[in-house]
Amino acid sequence: MKPSIPKGTRDFSPTEVANRTYIINTIKTAFETFGFQPIETPSFEKSSTLMGKYGEEGDRLIFKILNSGNFFYEKDSIDLPESYEKLKFNSLDDLESKEKIELNRFTNRISGKALRYDLTVPFARYVVQHQNEITFPFKRYQVQPVWRADRPQKGRFREFYQCDADVVGSKSLWQEVEFIQLYDTVFTQLGLAETTIKINNRKILSGIAEVIGAQDKLIDFTVALDKLDKIGQEKVETEMLSKGITSAAIQKVQPLFSFDGNNQENLDALAKMLTTSEEGTKGVEELRFVINSISELGLQSASLEVDVTLARGLNYYTGAIFEVSAPKGVKMGSIGGGGRYDDLTGIFGMKDVSGVGISFGLDRIYLVLEELGLFKTVALPKPKVMFVNFGENEALYCMKAISQLRVKGIKSELFPDAAKMKKQMNYANKREIEFVVIVGSQEIENDEFTLKNMVSGEQSKCSLLELIQTLL
Amino acid sequence: MKPSIPKGTRDFSPTEVANRTYIINTIKTAFETFGFQPIETPSFEKSSTLMGKYGEEGDRLIFKILNSGNFFYEKDSIDLPESYEKLKFNSLDDLESKEKIELNRFTNRISGKALRYDLTVPFARYVVQHQNEITFPFKRYQVQPVWRADRPQKGRFREFYQCDADVVGSKSLWQEVEFIQLYDTVFTQLGLAETTIKINNRKILSGIAEVIGAQDKLIDFTVALDKLDKIGQEKVETEMLSKGITSAAIQKVQPLFSFDGNNQENLDALAKMLTTSEEGTKGVEELRFVINSISELGLQSASLEVDVTLARGLNYYTGAIFEVSAPKGVKMGSIGGGGRYDDLTGIFGMKDVSGVGISFGLDRIYLVLEELGLFKTVALPKPKVMFVNFGENEALYCMKAISQLRVKGIKSELFPDAAKMKKQMNYANKREIEFVVIVGSQEIENDEFTLKNMVSGEQSKCSLLELIQTLL
């Protein structure tokens, strides 16, 4: 039986690694050009660091690590859930909340660590833990895998990379401006023209909720509004109604369902609608600053679009929120997102540290570039030249040359076995190696090499120096 | 209460990431120069892929991931271990083997995935799973973290990186030669002169066991012999006796305890000692080929040393075995190791695929380079220039220039807030930023910039073009 890997995970072939590395390096280079510094955090954190930070659904999707050794053993022994017999015979969805609580308590007894769910909470933990070593404002980037026990589907995996850049320790809106430029820079360099960077502001959403008199239902409101693109206006309204938002309230926000003028017009309309809300007005002002600054500075290939339906699921955002859509015509969810959070480190006891950040979705960007055929220029990790192996003497002669080539940084290898010529040439062909060197007794005698260009088929004799010059 | 991370794991600061990246890039570049291609495998594998591959101790050290959702629930329900009451009150070491088996069985019921323990077994799994897409001989490298629930100590962590290169699909000894050159290349480039690459051959060890008539005790013999450096001859002999190796047998291998001539002399002595063993003689011949080839080809800074006490714990080695010691004077275990295994993919049902590979211990190499002060030349990820922020107008003027600089690849940033000059300069100083640009109303009027060199203290006015030229 062939071995296999857990669902939602992937092996990456050499070509895939090369393509992924190309994307990651493009993003990292841009991060550093914008003044960000890299950090890394452990793959697993204490459960107490992660649990309760992503909502009930998030908690469920966190991979927990079983304590090592005899996990049943504890100083004061371990108690099975009272409802153990029920747990045995019912799936999670069929459990009552008391039973779920018991299950969680037992889970915490046998598992004290969990795999990272995103890079944001570990970053907040890092900032609090290392606050005395950090110079604020702290601009950090982080490119690492995260894990979620989600149902796998196209563009959604159980192990995937996040590429995050955040600044903490300043409320300056110039950072929002910079993050938009950063998105524009990366996607332009990847050849992904015509991406749309959508921007909104949580204060505007709060303002809207305030104006319609449903402040306490802001989360329900935004979660429903977020689905407008996917399920359409009617179903969004049905969901809002089902959450207790009144029909009258929904009527007041009708203009939001059909915004389609330019950014300035949208901002003007919002400003008017939110006059009575202090917070909403603040949100419009913030958005206006960002939009105007970007107008002044220009973008290379992306467009910036105010989108009042943009809400994003995460509750910790408090100011700007971003989301990037792939170029039109490519079916793919957002390929990036982020926003400002005024109190992320608060969950770890460090108050009043505002932050703002964005994330690039590596795996989705990969799928988009692949679909658009944009990996053509990526150099594959293969040798420039292969030396044919005719036996011990010839191989030693070749190895001496190969050592010289490698010192010059020329990727080269000897075919390991003195196999049939055809087999060796087949290998070179399959790996698409550009040059092959052939050395027999005659070449050794004359201290030379026969160099064959596998693309043109040309073949010629040369000295070691000429060989190096050709291959460099 | 300050948050913290699980024991044996680490956060990496920007400086540490930069240093680690420097080591990793050096290794990856060498791998590719030698013709290796990168692959990546998932962080967790199915438990069945990993369990039973590393011995009982290894199984214990593998981190298991709890099944998501209600892990108690299964179609046919889950049974608690019969000895549950004993498990509750006894640590692993106090359990009887029947109880351990029950614990393992229960573990397998609630956990179907486990974190990667090394890169070798996942590589074997990869080769078998993707055998039809692979061109053999397959030269792959892999640089990824692995996890072990080991007791943390200096140079030993619960999450650490392995950097592995392997070839499968050829028995050619030129590969052993190349791996020695590869070690030499990497350590020379890292400035780590005078490393010692120890080499031995499992066939020689088998031959020795054969000659002394203790073939069935080869593992016990090699495990004991491996400790010679650490615990001395007397204790090794005691251990061998305790494992049932006879005193007469130990007498026959006395010369092994005091080998100290040069490689050729050692090989000659071994050849003589092993004349009667076919396998041992084969091992000496293999070793001689490698030693002689390296003599012909030369090494840049490392030395190669036959070490008959080198056994390495892992049982899958069948030919050459390698281990690299840090330069003398640095207290550190081996910083690299590897060897040939004739049937690694056999565990997944693919027979007769010989492989050979080596590993670099990133974390230990880091500690050695740090101790020897060899990170001095590593460029830290910090901006080349910071623009002081005097307010909205000045900032916009600066942002226009910064956009130009970034297009040229110059790492630059604006201080986000219009804070006091002193605070902004302090930030630049703390981050050791080389240049600061100051723009007030006068500079804007004259379309120029004041550039200050923070090292020399020099200050001068310049145009945007001059600014770019200075900073490029």
Side-chain angles (χ1 to χ4, degrees), chain A residues 4 11-12 14 34 38 40 43 46 64 66 70 80 87 90 125 130 159 170 172 178 406 416-417, chain B residues 4 11-12 14 34 37-38 40 43 46 64 66 70 80 87 90 125 130 159 170 172 178 406 416-417:
Chain A
S4 60
D11 283 327
F12 296 112
F34 276 69
E40 288 181 12
S43 296
K46 291 183 171 174
K64 287 110 193 155
L66 203 53
N70 176 4
L80 273 188
L87 291 170
N90 288 282
R125 193 266 311 143
H130 301 278
E159 170 174 61
S170 162
S172 165
E178 286 206 321
R406 287 174 177 165
D417 301 289
Chain B
S4 61
D11 283 327
F12 296 112
F34 276 69
Q37 312 174 78
E40 288 182 12
S43 296
K46 291 181 172 176
K64 286 112 193 151
L66 202 53
N70 176 4
L80 273 187
L87 291 170
N90 289 283
R125 194 266 310 144
H130 301 278
E159 171 175 59
S170 163
S172 164
E178 285 207 320
R406 286 174 177 165
D417 301 289

Side-chain angles (χ1 to χ4, degrees), chain B residues 144-427:
Chain B
Q144 293 193 278
V146 302
W147 297 268
R148 295 181 188 180
D150 228 329
R151 190 127 45 94
Q153 58 184 56
K154 189 189 170 192
R156 191 206 277 165
F157 306 97
R158 293 190 145 194
E159 171 175 59
F160 60 99
Y161 266 68
Q162 287 191 337
C163 313
D164 280 20
D166 290 78
V167 195
V168 288
S170 163
K171 293 186 174 180
S172 164
L173 293 170
W174 285 111
Q175 293 164 344
E176 276 82 342
V177 174
E178 285 207 320
F179 279 122
I180 291 164
Q181 292 184 306
L182 184 50
Y183 269 138
D184 178 48
T185 298
V186 168
F187 289 124
T188 301
Q189 280 174 7
L190 291 174
L192 259 193
E194 292 178 44
T195 51
T196 304
I197 303 167
K198 295 180 192 165
I199 183 169
N200 195 9
N201 193 300
R202 270 289 165 93
K203 297 190 179 81
I204 290 178
L205 292 168
S206 309
I208 292 170
E210 201 182 321
V211 165
I212 62 176
Q215 295 96 317
D216 59 325
K217 299 216 178 333
L218 176 61
I219 292 172
D220 290 335
F221 178 84
T222 56
V223 167
L225 191 61
D226 195 23
K227 297 179 185 165
L228 185 61
D229 276 355
K230 282 183 198 146
I231 61 175
Q233 179 170 353
E234 198 175 328
K235 284 185 178 162
V236 169
E237 290 188 3
T238 309
E239 181 170 329
M240 286 179 171
L241 288 168
S242 80
K243 296 290 182 183
I245 297 165
T246 66
S247 181
I250 294 171
Q251 282 310 311
K252 288 193 193 155
V253 299
Q254 282 301 315
L256 291 179
F257 288 103
S258 51
F259 261 35
D260 69 348
N262 66 34
N263 289 338
Q264 295 299 343
E265 284 167 13
N266 285 343
L267 285 170
D268 291 344
L270 280 171
K272 212 169 150 188
M273 183 189 261
L274 299 174
T275 327
T276 59
S277 160
E278 195 183 330
E279 194 176 3
T281 303
K282 182 101 196 318
V284 176
E285 273 167 24
E286 289 183 8
L287 203 47
R288 203 185 287 278
F289 176 85
V290 175
I291 297 282
N292 289 349
S293 300
I294 289 291
S295 296
E296 288 277 351
L297 294 166
L299 291 175
Q300 296 174 62
S301 75
S303 43
L304 180 63
E305 190 181 281
V306 173
D307 181 351
V308 286
T309 74
L310 178 65
R312 292 185 68 79
L314 292 166
N315 295 328
Y316 50 68
Y317 291 122
T318 52
I321 37 183
F322 307 109
E323 203 165 277
V324 186
S325 310
K328 283 180 187 70
V330 182
K331 271 190 190 163
M332 184 63 66
S334 67
I335 55 176
R340 179 173 288 275
Y341 37 86
D342 271 339
D343 193 28
L344 191 70
T345 55
I347 53 179
F348 299 114
M350 190 180 172
K351 297 286 175 199
D352 298 322
V353 182
S354 186
V356 54
I358 60 171
S359 187
F360 288 84
L362 172 63
D363 298 276
R364 288 187 177 178
I365 294 171
Y366 189 105
L367 292 171
V368 173
L369 292 187
E370 193 174 44
E371 187 167 335
L372 297 176
L374 290 171
F375 283 131
K376 279 173 210 152
T377 56
V378 179
L380 295 184
K382 63 183 180 190
K384 180 98 177 179
V385 58
M386 185 197 87
F387 285 65
V388 172
N389 184 338
F390 281 150
E392 209 167 298
N393 275 337
E394 291 83 355
L396 179 62
Y397 179 89
C398 289
M399 281 297 288
K400 286 179 180 170
I402 288 172
S403 300
Q404 299 296 315
L405 263 54
R406 286 174 177 165
V407 167
K408 300 281 180 193
I410 300 164
K411 297 176 185 170
S412 35
E413 66 178 38
L414 170 75
F415 192 85
D417 301 289
K420 282 193 180 133
M421 180 78 169
K422 196 180 162 192
K423 186 177 175 188
Q424 300 192 42
M425 294 309 265
N426 266 347
Y427 171 87

Side-chain angles (χ1 to χ4, degrees), chain A residues 172-188:
Chain A
S172 165
L173 293 170
W174 286 111
Q175 293 165 342
E176 277 81 341
V177 174
E178 286 206 321
F179 280 121
I180 291 163
Q181 292 184 306
L182 184 50
Y183 269 138
D184 178 48
T185 298
V186 167
F187 289 123
T188 302

Side-chain angles (χ1 to χ4, degrees), chain A residues 47-63:
Chain A
S47 296
S48 56
T49 300
L50 303 185
M51 299 300 282
K53 308 303 191 296
Y54 307 99
E56 197 184 332
E57 171 71 359
D59 278 359
R60 219 171 54 72
L61 300 183
I62 290 173
F63 281 112

